[in-house]
Amino acid sequence: MGDNVVHLHKNTDPPADTATVTTLTVVPEPPAAPPVPLWIRSSRAIKTAVTHDNTRTAARHSLYAAGGARIVGRRAWDGRTAARYERYMRTAEAAGNFDAAAEWEERGQRFREARHRRRMDLLHSPLDVAKGAGISVGMGIGGLVLLGIAMAVATKDVSDVVTPLMAVVEFINLLITIVQVVWGPALTIGPFLALLALWSVGAHQKAAPQWALPPNVRTGEGEPITPSIVVKALRDLGVPALRRAIAEMGDAGASMLSPIVIAGCGVEVDVTLPSGVSTNEVQGKRRKLAENLSRHEHEVFITIPTAARTVRLWVADSGALDEPIGPSPLVTDETMTADYAKGRAPWGQDLRGDAAALSLYQRHLLVTGLSNQGKTAALRALALWLSLDRSVQFWLADLKGAGDWRYFDGIASRLIQGPTDDHVIQATEMAEDAVTEMNRRLEARRTDPAAKFPPLIVLVDEAQVAFMCPAKDDDSRPYGGSKATSRYFMAVRKIHNQGRAVDVLMWQGTQDPTDQNLPKLVREGAHTRASLALGTEQQSRMALGDKAVNGGAAPHLLRQGLDKGTLVVASDGIAIPAGQASITVRTHFIDDDAAEAIAERAKALRDGVTTLHAVKREEEHDPLADIAAVIGDAPRLRTQDVIKRLSALSPTAYGDWSPGDLTRVLEDAGAEPYKSDGRMVVGRDRVARALADREDDGSASDAG
């Protein structure tokens, strides 16, 4: 126990009638903290030592020497044996290049034959060397003697005959002396020089573990993808059966790989997995595989091709997916037009860098994703392209109401913009009118199987607002929800069931899908399903279906905020590599200014569309007033166009109108159609006069 501490307190201000008092107080000392156990201090010291930069530096340089020795040894072994040719031959066989494999086999055979000849020559070389040395020594001595005789004759001194021989002897003696002097230090310094050479080789090849390398070397970002790197990444994936199989393969796993080919801003390779390893074991370790390949997770895509027990790896060049793609052809080509039946919308680029174009012909569409990931921009790009086909009609409901679709005023026959329940009610009634139009077309098709109809795109952006709407009608039927009494849900289902046959198509954009805001029957009714970044795999299955996700589609692995505009698409309307169930598309972004310019081009192709901004229920209609409304500012309009616009205005009232019905109404009003350039037209002024006359007649009747 610690010692007690004595504190002396003196009362310096005592009362007047008392003496000064001194108080002694004994305060016990707080107990000391228990000592840290020795094993904890030791472990901390070890951890600090291992992770210290000086420790890593020392380990790195030591391992450079060991790695250099391994590299030099392998080079020596390759130089003395046919191992190099065997390795190249196996690699060529694994790649399916049997011509190259045969060539390497032939080279290896020639190497073995040359080595055999060298070894046979060594058996006879000692005798040949002895004979050669004897002849050379004899000739050398004879030459030196002749030189000495010449010198003796010239100097008239007989002793000069042996002078050249003695000079040679003295030179040899000097060499022996030099060797004796240098030999000792050479034996001492030689190992250090050899170690330095091995270190130099290892440092050049970075032959040290990753943890010991400097940070700028350890990351390995941008490292080219080679067969050895792929095999090593698979070996270190943490799948025991895969690691054992690679270790047991005579070619160290090279036979698993197809040729690595350049695919856009990355490379692609098929990996045939050994028996006992399933494809989902590799798919489930995407992040670790990406890190083993020195890439980020979003730079590696794993899909399942048609071949059994095979995964297809697409590995992006480091940082390539963070670079923007070029502008849309809709922006760069002002002469571009669309063809609903035969054309394909330029949507963006796939990961290979090839143009990704989508066919919209008789396909219902669903685009989903988290908020602010580019859903509306991707959907609007398709609608802008299709608007360049003047035969296509649009009924639009933007339940966000932020003005993203304002450019379709003058293109769309109906344009509803707003997030309130009233806007949902109008969107629901618009969808129900589309069902009425669909039924009218089906009835006409039964009468005339060859009947053709203009495509009608019923587009609802932010459709989750409609599904979640709590409002009910006068009969207590909900507008939202997913029950058999839910009006919006049932209208969409009916269009999905039969609309395709008569070109009445449903396009929907939703965010953050759940079973409540995107019912199962609705999402499965779409022919083209596309998803931006999502939060979970379950949402990916809702958006794209189980088949696409099981085949490798993973919108939930896209980076929210960083992969804006990147879609995973499951559709038969876009070119998808054989065996895959989906494709990843980086869409072109069309900004507001470009969208407005494209919309103006679309309006120029059309005769002037009167856009309705609200849907009114069909209680009473004034046909003559409606005819005047659909003609608008045009001086005249063909009777067929008037009927089409009336049908778009109110399918219930005018959906089954024929030219005879239109003529009857106009003749009764005194504004009968007439011919212009050989076609029957309705004159704006005639209809306006008929309306004015009718109003005058009504006023006179009221006055009377």
Side-chain angles (χ1 to χ4, degrees):
M1 296 183 63
D3 298 333
N4 293 332
V5 181
V6 179
H7 296 275
L8 180 64
H9 301 278
K10 182 177 181 181
N11 190 349
T12 57
D13 297 318
D17 57 347
T18 60
T20 301
V21 178
T22 301
T23 305
L24 290 177
T25 304
V26 179
V27 180
E29 183 180 355
V36 179
L38 179 61
W39 68 271
I40 294 180
R41 286 181 290 170
S42 301
S43 63
R44 289 175 181 173
I46 293 172
K47 180 179 180 180
T48 302
V50 171
T51 58
H52 197 276
D53 290 341
N54 293 339
T55 304
R56 288 183 175 178
T57 301
R60 177 169 66 252
H61 291 293
S62 300
L63 293 169
Y64 277 164
R70 177 175 52 82
I71 293 171
V72 170
R74 186 171 63 247
R75 290 175 180 175
W77 177 258
D78 287 345
R80 298 293 297 175
T81 67
R84 176 184 303 173
Y85 302 97
E86 293 286 344
R87 187 165 60 251
Y88 291 160
M89 183 176 66
R90 291 194 189 99
T91 302
E93 287 178 345
N97 192 346
F98 298 106
D99 292 338
E103 181 180 352
W104 282 114
E105 184 179 16
E106 183 180 354
R107 290 186 181 183
Q109 187 61 32
R110 289 200 299 267
F111 172 82
R112 293 186 184 91
E113 292 175 356
R115 183 180 61 186
H116 177 71
R117 287 195 299 271
R118 289 194 302 271
R119 290 176 176 175
M120 294 303 296
D121 291 341
L122 287 176
L123 298 176
H124 306 284
S125 59
L127 182 59
D128 295 338
V129 169
K131 290 180 180 179
I135 295 173
S136 299
V137 170
M139 293 180 63
I141 294 175
L144 292 173
V145 171
L146 291 175
L147 179 60
I149 293 174
M151 292 176 61
V153 171
T155 59
K156 297 181 180 179
D157 186 357
V158 178
S159 62
D160 287 341
V161 173
V162 296
T163 298
L165 289 173
M166 296 305 299
V168 171
V169 171
E170 290 176 359
F171 177 73
I172 294 173
N173 187 45
L174 176 62
L175 292 178
I176 293 173
T177 303
I178 293 174
V179 170
Q180 289 176 341
V181 172
V182 173
W183 184 253
L187 289 178
T188 303
I189 300 174
F192 293 100
L193 294 177
L195 189 62
L196 180 61
L198 296 177
W199 175 89
S200 177
V201 173
H204 180 71
Q205 298 290 333
K206 301 295 185 293
Q210 290 291 311
W211 62 266
L213 294 176
N216 60 333
V217 177
R218 186 166 59 247
T219 57
E221 291 187 2
E223 186 178 5
I225 301 300
T226 62
S228 60
I229 289 177
V230 175
V231 172
K232 186 176 183 296
L234 293 169
R235 184 196 67 191
D236 298 338
L237 203 55
V239 181
L242 181 59
R243 185 180 185 89
R244 287 195 301 270
I246 292 175
E248 294 171 358
M249 292 181 184
D251 56 1
S255 60
M256 297 193 305
L257 308 183
S258 70
I260 298 177
V261 297
I262 296 176
C265 57
V267 296
E268 190 174 78
V269 59
D270 285 356
V271 181
T272 302
L273 300 176
S275 178
V277 181
S278 63
T279 55
N280 61 354
E281 288 182 281
V282 177
Q283 278 186 303
K285 294 181 176 291
R286 177 184 174 187
R287 173 175 295 181
K288 189 170 185 179
L289 178 61
E291 292 171 351
N292 290 349
L293 293 169
S294 301
R295 294 294 189 273
H296 296 291
E297 184 178 12
H298 71 277
E299 294 175 328
V300 175
F301 288 82
I302 306 173
T303 55
I304 310 299
T306 53
R309 214 173 64 241
T310 301
V311 293
R312 177 169 294 160
L313 307 180
W314 185 87
V315 184
D317 298 335
S318 185
L321 294 184
D322 296 327
E323 298 294 330
I325 64 174
S328 170
L330 286 172
V331 178
T332 58
D333 185 2
E334 296 184 356
T335 64
M336 175 176 283
T337 58
D339 187 338
Y340 163 75
K342 299 179 181 178
R344 289 177 178 265
W347 212 6
Q349 294 179 0
D350 62 16
L351 296 178
R352 292 172 169 264
D354 299 330
L358 179 67
S359 173
L360 303 173
Y361 178 64
Q362 293 187 341
R363 290 180 175 87
H364 302 301
L365 177 65
L366 172 65
V367 179
T368 187
L370 297 178
S371 177
N372 196 29
Q373 297 303 304
K375 167 181 54 62
T376 297
L379 194 59
R380 189 176 67 180
L382 297 177
L384 284 171
W385 175 81
L386 196 55
S387 69
L388 297 176
D389 183 342
R390 59 180 297 174
S391 68
V392 178
Q393 301 175 3
F394 289 93
W395 292 2
L396 299 181
D398 174 15
L399 298 182
K400 180 166 58 178
D404 294 326
W405 296 92
R406 62 185 182 274
Y407 311 112
F408 279 77
D409 192 348
I411 298 175
S413 303
R414 302 186 184 188
L415 180 57
I416 301 165
Q417 300 181 90
T420 66
D421 288 350
D422 288 339
H423 294 98
V424 172
I425 292 172
Q426 293 179 27
T428 301
E429 293 172 345
M430 180 187 75
E432 290 174 340
D433 287 345
V435 174
T436 302
E437 170 64 12
M438 176 189 71
N439 291 333
R440 183 192 69 82
R441 295 183 178 191
L442 290 170
E443 184 63 30
R445 180 67 59 81
R446 280 190 286 270
T447 304
D448 180 10
K452 301 293 184 182
F453 308 101
L456 173 60
I457 306 300
V458 183
L459 192 155
V460 180
D461 194 12
E462 305 296 342
Q464 77 280 354
V465 178
F467 285 113
M468 299 300 291
C469 178
K472 296 183 179 181
D473 62 12
D474 296 337
D475 297 327
S476 296
R477 291 183 59 199
Y479 288 94
S482 58
K483 298 181 179 179
T485 57
S486 302
R487 292 178 58 177
Y488 179 78
F489 169 75
M490 290 305 299
V492 173
R493 286 290 301 133
K494 290 175 181 178
I495 296 174
H496 279 175
N497 288 339
Q498 295 179 298
R500 175 180 175 274
V502 288
D503 292 304
V504 177
L505 303 178
M506 193 76 203
W507 290 11
Q508 295 183 98
T510 69
Q511 64 175 251
D512 201 10
T514 65
D515 283 328
Q516 289 71 40
N517 64 26
L518 187 59
K520 178 181 176 65
L521 292 177
V522 169
R523 60 184 185 247
E524 291 186 350
H527 302 100
T528 296
R529 301 166 71 173
S531 176
L532 296 113
L534 289 173
T536 65
E537 180 179 336
Q538 183 181 6
Q539 287 184 315
S540 296
R541 294 183 181 276
M542 291 181 184
L544 301 177
D546 291 337
K547 180 181 178 181
V549 174
N550 292 338
H556 56 284
L557 295 180
L558 295 174
R559 300 168 298 167
Q560 183 177 0
L562 297 178
D563 289 325
K564 283 187 176 182
T566 300
L567 286 161
V568 182
V569 184
S571 172
D572 61 351
I574 193 170
I576 297 178
Q580 295 182 203
S582 63
I583 188 171
T584 301
V585 177
R586 304 172 69 198
T587 58
H588 297 294
F589 175 69
I590 301 177
D591 59 26
D592 289 345
D593 293 337
E596 185 175 9
I598 298 168
E600 291 300 323
R601 286 158 44 195
K603 293 173 187 178
L605 295 174
R606 298 166 185 261
D607 294 329
V609 175
T610 302
T611 299
L612 299 180
H613 294 274
V615 178
K616 297 180 180 179
R617 298 316 298 156
E618 315 300 338
E619 296 179 357
E620 293 184 4
H621 277 275
D622 184 348
L624 191 60
D626 288 344
I627 292 171
V630 298
I631 292 176
D633 297 331
R636 67 188 63 85
L637 198 64
R638 291 185 305 171
T639 56
Q640 289 292 340
D641 291 337
V642 172
I643 293 174
K644 288 180 181 178
R645 294 187 181 187
L646 286 172
S647 177
L649 176 65
S650 175
T652 303
Y654 306 114
D656 56 352
W657 264 36
S658 65
D661 297 321
L662 177 64
T663 302
R664 175 179 51 78
V665 171
L666 292 173
E667 287 179 347
D668 292 343
E672 60 275 354
Y674 61 93
K675 279 193 175 183
S676 175
D677 296 330
R679 296 185 177 184
M680 296 300 294
V681 298
V682 180
R684 177 192 62 189
D685 295 339
R686 290 189 179 188
V687 176
R689 282 196 302 269
L691 282 172
D693 293 342
R694 189 179 67 178
E695 291 176 0
D696 291 341
D697 293 342
S699 299
S701 299
D702 294 338

